[in-house]
Amino acid sequence: TALAPSARAMRAAAALLAALCGGSLLAAGSGTADRGNSQDCGVAWAWTGALGPDGVVIKARLTCADALPASVEALVWPEADGADAPSALRFPARSVGPHRMAAFDVQGLQPRTAYKFRVASTAGRGPEAVGAFATPGPLKEPQSFSLGFASCADNHSNSV
């Protein structure tokens, strides 16, 4: 019988992989499912993928099983500004899947810019996840990047 790795070990490994790939991940909260009101939904962790010069996809694992897309949002702002700056952008979840995975399509960003983000309940309750990423230059220009790969077949969190 194989032993399952601890949640702490899994979050640490995922954070290391995200840092190596230029993405981001930060664990927040316990990650346990709550069968309560979706307005009390929090975020267990979040990561970024599908990074482009003007956008990114943020995926987040929610702590409640009955969350609706309107119950969580992503707030994205340039690192040079603050979360309260007029340049901060709000994005509702595109969807929340059956495994408590919320997807956010973040568009309208500037190339070659460092950003921070926060994924949280729209009700302001429950844990939240914060992270950072940087958009690359235009796709027609040469790019420098690192590539990392990992697989976890049971989390249902494809990048698109």
Side-chain angles (χ1 to χ4, degrees), residues 1 5 7 26 28 37 43 45 65-66 73-74 79-80 87-88 93 105 111 132-133 141 147 152 156-158:
T1 304
L26 180 67
N37 185 335
V43 180
W45 47 260
D66 62 346
E73 70 178 2
E79 193 173 87
S87 58
D105 293 324
F133 62 90
E141 293 181 3
L147 177 67
C152 185
H156 307 283
S157 63
N158 297 332

Side-chain angles (χ1 to χ4, degrees), residues 1-103:
T1 304
L3 295 175
S6 72
R8 175 187 243 168
M10 292 297 290
R11 287 192 296 266
L16 176 61
L17 177 62
L20 291 173
C21 296
S24 62
L25 175 126
L26 180 67
S30 66
T32 57
D34 173 14
R35 301 281 180 200
N37 185 335
S38 66
Q39 293 300 313
D40 295 330
C41 193
V43 180
W45 47 260
W47 61 268
T48 59
L51 183 64
D54 63 350
V56 68
V57 172
I58 299 174
K59 294 281 188 152
R61 178 71 176 245
L62 306 180
T63 60
C64 58
D66 62 346
L68 300 172
S71 67
V72 289
E73 70 178 2
L75 180 66
V76 179
W77 65 93
E79 193 173 87
D81 302 338
D84 296 327
S87 58
L89 303 170
R90 293 183 185 279
F91 297 90
R94 165 179 27 109
S95 63
V96 175
H99 301 281
R100 304 187 325 260
M101 292 301 304

